[in-house]
Amino acid sequence: MLKLQNVSKQFDRKVVLDDINVEIKAGEIVSLLGPSGSGKTTLLNIILGLTQLDHGKIIFNDMDMSHVSMKNRGFNIVFQDYALFPHLSAYENIVYGLRNKKGLVSEKELQEYIEFLELKPHLTKKIGELSGGQKQRVALARTLVMKPKILLLDEPLSALDGVIKESIKQRIQSIAREYKLTMIIVTHDPEEALTLSDKILIINQGNISQFGTPQEIINQPKNDFVEEFILKQLQIKRQNIYNLFGEQHA
Amino acid sequence: MPKAKTEMRIIFLSILIVFAVFLLFPLGTLFVRSFETNQGLGISNYLSILSHKDLIEAFGNSIKVSSITAVITTILAFALAYAVNCTRIYRPIKTVIKTGILIPMLLPTITYGFAIMYSFGNQGLLTKIFGQSLFDIYGLNGLLIGYVIYTLPAAFLLINNSFKYIDKKFIIVSKLMGDGSLRSFMNTIVRPLWATLGGAFVLSFILSFTDFGIPASVGGTYAVVATQLYQVMLGSIPDFNQGAVIAILMLLPAVFGVLLLNYLEKLNFHYDKFSAIELMQHKGRDISFGIISSAIIVAMLSVFAIMFIAPFLASYPYDITFTFKHVMDIFQSSDLVNVYKNSVIVAALTAVLGTLVAYGSAILNARTPLRGKSTIDSISMITNTVPGMVLGLSYLLLFNGSSLKGTFIIIILCNIVHFFTTPYLMAKNSLSKMNPSWETTGELLGDSWLKTIYRVILPNSASTVIEMISYYFINSMVTVSGIIFLVTAQTSLVATEIKQLQHFAKFNEIFVLSLLIFFTNLLIKILCDYFQKRQSINHS
């Protein structure tokens, strides 16, 4: 279980995060949802250990992680642009970290990860030869073999187009189930957040607007922001889709 | 970006110390020495220089010849760049222009002078071809030819690069709007390039003003600042304080020029993203620029032709039977072979160590959050400004009593500092374009910072590193001005040995040594280009 207690952060006197308190259970998929500049990426970087927090605590399984370095925290991230190493093949990228931690993953386990992410046919390819979805899966594999305690994803779907988006969504959900992995996902897209995650943390101007399941957010929006900016968008989308297919498909 | 780490701080500190000891202290010493007199500090050195008629005349000459050079070079470089970028002349001609223009960069400037003598002198190759002496080459004319050849490659590269950022669709728009040829040319080519053309002028001016090799060989009695400085320092009665004053006075135009260059840089046009477009058909334009650009290249290269011919003739121009004798003589003279070895060793060490310093500096500035990292940019501004002769002289003043005097180490350090700016900017440019999350990713995958540099950053910038090595190597092979005050009989290099051979009128040796430099540099250039190409194929 991950607990954020009174987490606050300022950049040059500008408050980016103001007294954030959240509890995330093991194996949950949680989305951090908010407009750009809301502080969601800062929160992700604080959890990762890349950004120092000003006040508050990060507690993971009853251990205070607030001052543990990024490297020793044992969390891991897949960046929005994947940050794959272009001079290495897909396979070399996947096993990159295993050179530093020998024996972390057996050969059999490694093959299981590769098969699970359906990367077998692409292992010898250079990064430049992979499609967006394939890159995403290589980045996921490279991170998963490090056996992270929490997996952070920064806008995992934003660089992908239509059909691939839906299949990567399913993939993310199946990873969480298969490896019982806690995942924290940053996104600015309400549809993505509500269809992908168990819980959504809506952030606005450094504060928590609402934290709850998709149903709670749809049925009991806590304030104007959630209603105006989150629900309204979904309703417009719903309307557009209805118009396309006709009401009877609702 | 990764957090600041101890190893980053250690590297940063080491780099700062290197530049403090080998850039700031020497320049500081130079400055102080220029005010030093028998009666303590004062401006009497400056006053005595200003009352010195020869020196004032040399300054006037330098300014005059450098200005004329700058005008000619800018016009020629523009014509070449225009031919390459804005005409539909036959592609191979463009390749020849782009490659041929770089050839002078592989040779020391002092060689240009001897090539000019053997081409335009009374018995010169071109004089024979034309049947008469075209003009007197010793003095202004010879200097002009030499300086123009010397500055043309740099000016061309500058203008050619800017042409790439010009949106050629505007030429079509301008035509469609009914502009005449002149108006269209002014609005779509000259105006967007105005700052660059100014930059090419200033660059050519500074390069000519501070070069030593050309006036040393073909200057004759036409005194310029560089030769005056040399005479004051290494003449019969060396005067270090006066030398310091002349060096400061040589530095001033360079400082002014670099400030001007930076200002012009800001005026540069930058079009938004644009795509390539086909150029309009225009036979007249293509034919005239095809002829003009070919003529420029041929004229430039014809000056060097003699260098490839004379050493293989028994006694040019009197006995023109083919012989390998002169070449064999050089290889049998252990002195000259040693000098060549020295040069290669110095160039190789400069290339390796210089690339290390420049690459390290660039990584710290482009990819770490260190405080005060922008000092490195200021350092690179200073190294860009200080002429080689001034830097070398300041080393002579500061390290004269130390054990560094007369070593290869001091020559290598001088080269590293002198040529720092370009490789540093190459590295910084390429490193800042790379994915900023790689270090974080590497760390999360268990790497230390240095390990990620070695496993990820370095392989992905291999092509730039090769380019840096090539730049450092070639420049330290050809530099004369930077090291003329630092070499001794034991640490003599090819480029400076040529200066000595001049006194004994051993022109065959001069040309053979020049050819050695040329082919060594050519080999390095071809090798580096080959490895660079292989890198880029691997990565695509």
Side-chain angles (χ1 to χ4, degrees):
Chain A
M1 187 162 73
L2 180 74
K3 273 192 241 180
L4 305 184
Q5 292 178 345
N6 311 98
V7 169
S8 302
K9 180 74 190 174
Q10 299 188 356
F11 285 121
D12 301 329
R13 297 214 188 126
K14 187 178 174 288
V15 179
V16 182
L17 291 172
D18 186 17
D19 204 27
I20 302 282
N21 287 285
V22 177
E23 277 189 34
I24 296 170
K25 296 197 189 74
E28 262 182 350
I29 302 181
V30 173
S31 284
L32 309 182
L33 174 64
S36 53
S38 60
K40 55 189 192 306
T41 302
T42 307
L43 186 57
L44 191 79
N45 286 341
I46 285 177
I47 298 172
L48 178 66
L50 188 62
T51 306
Q52 284 287 327
L53 36 67
D54 295 341
H55 299 289
K57 279 182 181 168
I58 296 169
I59 295 166
F60 180 70
N61 291 347
D62 298 326
M63 284 215 337
D64 187 353
M65 292 281 187
S66 315
H67 301 290
V68 176
S69 74
M70 177 177 85
K71 205 168 169 176
N72 296 328
R73 234 173 247 201
F75 304 163
N76 216 318
I77 189 168
V78 174
F79 285 107
Q80 184 173 5
D81 53 14
Y82 318 129
L84 291 167
F85 306 135
H87 65 298
L88 302 175
S89 68
Y91 180 77
E92 287 165 332
N93 264 285
I94 295 171
V95 299
Y96 184 96
L98 298 179
R99 282 240 318 245
N100 295 317
K101 295 211 165 122
K102 298 214 170 66
L104 181 68
V105 172
S106 71
E107 184 58 35
K108 190 165 158 277
E109 271 181 292
L110 176 64
Q111 291 308 322
E112 279 170 13
Y113 280 112
I114 290 170
E115 247 150 68
F116 178 75
L117 289 163
E118 295 172 28
L119 285 169
K120 203 122 210 195
H122 310 298
L123 289 179
T124 56
K125 287 185 189 165
K126 288 266 171 194
I127 298 309
E129 298 165 347
L130 300 173
S131 70
Q134 289 161 355
K135 280 184 197 160
Q136 171 78 274
R137 282 182 279 145
V138 172
L140 279 168
R142 179 175 73 175
T143 313
L144 286 174
V145 297
M146 297 304 284
K147 301 201 169 160
K149 294 172 189 150
I150 296 180
L151 178 58
L152 308 169
L153 303 173
D154 187 6
E155 300 274 3
L157 304 176
S158 66
L160 304 172
D161 43 27
V163 187
I164 302 289
K165 233 180 207 177
E166 296 304 320
S167 80
I168 290 280
K169 252 192 219 172
Q170 284 175 2
R171 179 87 58 189
I172 290 171
Q173 286 169 327
S174 63
I175 291 171
R177 276 196 304 275
E178 175 87 17
Y179 302 106
K180 298 194 178 49
L181 189 58
T182 310
M183 287 202 203
I184 301 172
I185 300 170
V186 157
T187 177
H188 64 273
D189 181 347
E191 184 196 342
E192 209 173 289
L194 275 83
T195 54
L196 178 61
S197 21
D198 302 318
K199 277 186 170 170
I200 295 100
L201 180 70
I202 298 174
I203 308 179
N204 184 33
Q205 294 180 339
N207 291 295
I208 297 179
S209 253
Q210 187 168 3
F211 181 49
T213 63
Q215 279 67 38
E216 285 168 353
I217 285 169
I218 295 284
N219 299 323
Q220 301 138 37
K222 247 176 140 178
N223 51 40
D224 280 357
F225 176 77
V226 176
E227 206 154 331
E228 280 297 310
F229 291 91
I230 309 295
L231 292 189
K232 195 119 183 219
Q233 234 189 92
L234 289 171
Q235 280 154 3
I236 292 170
K237 271 194 181 171
R238 182 180 65 178
Q239 198 53 50
N240 285 338
I241 302 248
Y242 279 165
N243 292 345
L244 271 178
F245 287 98
E247 280 297 333
Q248 73 273 21
H249 291 283
Chain B
M1 214 174 256
K3 287 180 189 158
K5 300 209 167 58
T6 319
E7 50 272 43
M8 297 175 192
R9 294 208 177 88
I10 293 172
I11 299 173
F12 187 43
L13 194 66
S14 329
I15 287 172
L16 289 185
I17 290 173
V18 167
F19 283 107
V21 177
F22 294 99
L23 181 65
L24 299 182
F25 291 171
L27 289 179
T29 309
L30 176 77
F31 195 67
V32 172
R33 287 295 284 275
S34 75
F35 289 100
E36 206 175 77
T37 62
N38 294 334
Q39 292 89 40
L41 295 182
I43 55 163
S44 65
N45 292 328
Y46 284 86
L47 294 177
S48 97
I49 290 276
L50 290 175
S51 61
H52 211 299
K53 207 171 136 273
D54 290 357
L55 276 170
I56 296 296
E57 195 190 319
F59 263 97
N61 285 346
S62 271
I63 288 171
K64 180 174 146 200
V65 68
S66 303
S67 308
I68 303 174
T69 302
V71 171
I72 297 174
T73 296
T74 306
I75 293 170
L76 294 184
F78 172 78
L80 289 174
Y82 185 85
V84 168
N85 290 284
C86 286
T87 68
R88 295 167 65 134
I89 52 177
Y90 190 47
R91 269 194 183 282
I93 297 184
K94 293 188 179 181
T95 314
V96 169
I97 294 174
K98 281 193 278 186
T99 323
I101 189 85
L102 302 178
I103 286 178
M105 291 182 132
L106 304 179
L107 284 163
T109 51
I110 198 162
T111 301
Y112 301 6
F114 299 114
I116 291 169
M117 284 181 216
Y118 264 60
S119 300
F120 297 106
N122 288 333
Q123 300 290 337
L125 183 67
L126 297 179
T127 308
K128 297 233 154 166
I129 291 173
F130 288 107
Q132 55 172 324
S133 183
L134 300 173
F135 40 77
D136 181 27
I137 49 153
Y138 298 96
L140 183 66
N141 294 328
L143 286 177
L144 274 181
I145 298 172
Y147 286 152
V148 168
I149 293 175
Y150 171 47
T151 54
L152 198 50
F156 169 79
L157 290 178
L158 189 72
I159 299 175
N160 188 43
N161 188 49
S162 282
F163 255 112
K164 291 192 189 119
Y165 297 101
I166 287 190
D167 191 343
K168 279 136 204 131
K169 276 200 270 319
F170 281 81
I171 304 173
I172 292 169
V173 172
S174 152
K175 281 274 180 248
L176 293 173
M177 296 295 173
D179 282 351
S181 294
L182 184 66
R183 193 182 149 103
S184 167
F185 179 75
M186 292 308 285
N187 279 338
T188 60
I189 305 286
V190 176
R191 244 184 67 76
L193 278 179
W194 199 235
T196 305
L197 294 175
F201 177 90
V202 175
L203 182 68
S204 309
F205 182 90
I206 303 176
L207 286 174
S208 316
F209 194 84
T210 58
D211 178 66
F212 173 68
I214 293 165
S217 49
V218 80
T221 53
Y222 194 85
V224 292
V225 178
T227 43
Q228 287 294 316
L229 178 57
Y230 182 78
Q231 269 163 24
V232 168
M233 291 304 293
L234 298 183
S236 42
I237 330 156
D239 185 334
F240 281 27
N241 295 335
Q242 278 219 342
V245 174
I246 301 177
I248 293 282
L249 294 178
M250 187 191 234
L251 184 61
L252 287 180
V255 171
F256 181 68
V258 169
L259 291 178
L260 202 60
L261 272 179
N262 286 327
Y263 170 72
L264 288 168
E265 181 70 21
K266 291 199 187 93
L267 293 184
N268 251 334
F269 256 63
H270 277 288
Y271 288 107
D272 296 338
K273 274 186 186 164
F274 59 88
S275 46
I277 187 160
E278 207 172 329
L279 291 160
M280 281 181 294
Q281 294 274 8
H282 194 317
K283 275 269 175 324
R285 173 198 67 194
D286 292 358
I287 291 170
S288 51
F289 271 92
I291 293 171
I292 292 171
S293 55
S294 309
I296 296 171
I297 294 290
V298 169
M300 192 180 83
L301 296 184
S302 67
V303 173
F304 291 108
I306 187 67
M307 194 179 88
F308 294 86
I309 301 169
F312 298 100
L313 303 179
S315 174
Y316 180 86
Y318 310 106
D319 177 1
I320 51 170
T321 43
F322 181 82
T323 172
F324 271 122
K325 185 177 165 294
H326 304 301
V327 182
M328 300 313 279
D329 282 354
I330 290 262
F331 284 106
Q332 269 152 21
S333 141
S334 61
D335 277 1
L336 293 180
V337 171
N338 273 334
V339 166
Y340 175 69
K341 270 191 205 153
N342 289 348
S343 273
V344 174
I345 291 170
V346 165
L349 284 173
T350 304
V352 172
L353 299 175
T355 302
L356 198 69
V357 173
Y359 191 80
S361 308
I363 283 203
L364 293 179
N365 200 357
R367 300 191 72 91
T368 70
L370 282 182
R371 265 160 184 269
K373 60 179 182 172
S374 56
T375 4
I376 301 174
D377 283 326
S378 316
I379 291 172
S380 91
M381 283 271 293
I382 300 176
T383 54
N384 193 29
T385 309
V386 179
M389 268 187 115
V390 175
L391 188 65
L393 177 64
S394 67
Y395 277 31
L396 180 67
L397 296 177
L398 179 62
F399 299 113
N400 208 10
S402 78
S403 56
L404 275 176
K405 190 194 174 193
T407 59
F408 285 120
I409 302 172
I410 196 171
I411 297 174
I412 292 166
L413 281 163
C414 182
N415 284 340
I416 290 176
V417 173
H418 180 191
F419 299 115
F420 174 75
T421 311
T422 304
Y424 164 73
L425 291 178
M426 284 177 191
K428 191 180 151 195
N429 188 26
S430 125
L431 289 168
S432 54
K433 277 184 195 152
M434 289 179 187
N435 192 313
S437 311
W438 280 347
E439 283 92 343
T440 307
T441 307
E443 192 174 342
L444 286 165
L445 298 173
D447 277 352
S448 65
W449 178 68
L450 281 173
K451 208 166 172 185
T452 308
I453 299 294
Y454 176 72
R455 288 181 70 188
V456 180
I457 309 294
L458 196 57
N460 281 295
S461 50
S463 168
T464 308
V465 171
I466 295 168
E467 207 182 339
M468 293 162 76
I469 290 178
S470 155
Y471 180 90
Y472 258 127
F473 186 94
I474 290 171
N475 277 291
S476 40
M477 277 304 269
V478 300
T479 187
V480 183
S481 60
I483 54 168
I484 192 77
F485 294 125
L486 300 175
V487 290
T488 61
Q490 285 73 43
T491 60
S492 189
L493 305 178
V494 176
T496 52
E497 184 68 19
I498 289 175
K499 174 93 186 70
Q500 302 306 317
L501 290 169
Q502 182 189 8
H503 292 302
F504 308 107
K506 293 191 170 175
F507 292 106
N508 282 318
E509 280 84 347
I510 287 175
F511 284 136
V512 175
L513 285 177
S514 300
L515 286 180
L516 272 177
I517 294 185
F518 178 77
F519 285 114
T520 310
N521 280 339
L522 193 64
L523 180 75
I524 294 293
K525 182 109 188 81
I526 289 170
L527 275 179
C528 287
D529 285 358
Y530 167 76
F531 282 121
Q532 261 188 301
K533 204 164 261 171
R534 226 178 54 167
Q535 280 295 328
S536 58
I537 290 168
N538 278 347
H539 282 197
S540 57

